[in-house]
Amino acid sequence: DTAVSQTPKYLVTQMGNDKSIKCEQNLGHDTMYWYKQDSKKFLKIMFSYNNKELIINETVPNRFSPKSPDKAHLNLHINSLELGDSAVYFCASSQEAGQGGYQPQHFGDGTRLSIL
Amino acid sequence: AQTVTQSQPEMSVQEAETVTLSCTYDTSESDYYLFWYKQPPSRQMILVIRQEAYKQQNATENRFSVNFQKAAKSFSLKISDSQLGDAAMYFCAYRSPPPGYALNFGKGTSLLVTP
């Protein structure tokens, strides 16, 4: 019944590895997001997808590649992991079409990525 | 890009008392949306309250209310009758206009509730 689910919840890996974080929403929303929360708890948008189309791509290194196979899924693949990638990554979703921006974003529980 | 400022890194309140968390933002838009999210130690992001800029009336959700001052670009959160479960990080967020729809967050205020 979880609305926005992310897997895994914790990810510990070594520098240089490639890893993926999966996100699925069962709310029927048309827009999905990835946010990064750093060690100081600051949350910043990374990507936004609307109906599988990339809408926002903030100043994120090319090593980060989102993939949206369908409206319900937005996965995040990270190549050549670096120490600075250690953070909590949140997936979120919202319904935008016909809603005028008032609808809240629903967040997953986050994935804590730790680079050794 | 719109910026959101939360000037209080930490706040403390006693149980049953009232506390106000401040938030200011910078924008050139006339119509926009503002949100407060709560993040307890469990790490979940929980919507507390939201406000549409074109609505004069301040939003209220049970013990939570906002003081929205559009001209001053201020959006403070008041928590009444504070409870131990209110202890959390509180984030103020501004909703970017389309396309994109992303939330621009402040740096957060850590709220401690003491018995």
Side-chain angles (χ1 to χ4, degrees), chain B residues 2-112:
Chain B
Q2 292 80 8
T3 55
V4 178
T5 302
Q6 293 180 250
S7 59
Q8 306 151 317
E10 292 180 348
M11 291 285 283
S12 182
V13 64
Q14 280 194 317
E15 256 187 306
E17 297 297 309
T18 295
V19 64
T20 298
L21 309 184
S22 66
C23 173
T24 58
Y25 56 93
D26 181 30
T27 184
S28 58
E29 300 290 327
S30 58
D31 193 17
Y32 48 86
Y33 303 88
L34 297 163
F35 302 82
W36 278 97
Y37 278 85
K38 167 185 176 181
Q39 186 179 40
S42 65
R43 201 169 75 197
Q44 290 177 299
M45 291 291 290
I46 302 164
L47 176 69
V48 175
I49 200 164
R50 50 184 163 164
Q51 175 81 40
E52 299 173 75
Y54 70 86
K55 283 192 174 178
Q56 300 276 355
Q57 189 172 4
N58 289 324
T60 300
E61 290 284 346
N62 301 315
R63 298 182 296 108
F64 299 87
S65 61
V66 298
N67 183 3
F68 173 51
Q69 302 289 328
K70 190 172 184 179
K73 297 180 183 174
S74 171
F75 182 58
S76 61
L77 175 69
K78 186 170 86 170
I79 307 174
S80 304
D81 186 25
S82 296
Q83 301 174 0
L84 292 177
D86 295 333
M89 280 288 283
Y90 286 81
F91 293 97
C92 178
Y94 176 102
R95 178 63 175 272
S96 292
Y101 315 109
L103 293 171
N104 296 314
F105 286 94
K107 292 188 176 181
T109 297
S110 178
L111 179 66
L112 176 67

Side-chain angles (χ1 to χ4, degrees), chain A residues 8-12 41 87-89 109-114, chain B residues 43:
Chain A
K9 292 196 186 309
Y10 298 92
L11 188 51
V12 181
K41 304 280 190 180
V88 178
Y89 294 84
D109 289 343
T111 296
R112 179 176 294 280
L113 174 62
S114 299
Chain B
R43 201 169 75 197

Side-chain angles (χ1 to χ4, degrees), chain A residues 10-75:
Chain A
Y10 298 92
L11 188 51
V12 181
T13 190
Q14 292 193 329
M15 263 196 327
N17 285 350
D18 303 339
K19 289 294 178 186
S20 292
I21 305 172
K22 295 186 176 181
C23 179
E24 176 182 4
Q25 55 96 3
N26 63 5
L27 297 166
H29 288 166
D30 60 7
T31 307
M32 295 185 73
Y33 314 80
W34 278 109
Y35 290 89
K36 178 180 180 180
Q37 185 172 43
D38 63 22
S39 58
K40 295 183 179 179
K41 304 280 190 180
F42 183 55
L43 277 150
K44 187 172 168 60
I45 184 70
M46 298 174 70
F47 302 102
S48 167
Y49 270 74
N50 177 258
N51 282 318
K52 297 171 37 181
E53 299 281 333
L54 179 64
I55 302 298
I56 288 179
N57 182 352
E58 288 294 314
T59 50
V60 176
N62 291 338
R63 299 181 294 102
F64 290 78
S65 54
K67 294 281 192 301
S68 183
D70 55 56
K71 279 170 48 175
H73 296 84
L74 180 62
N75 303 322

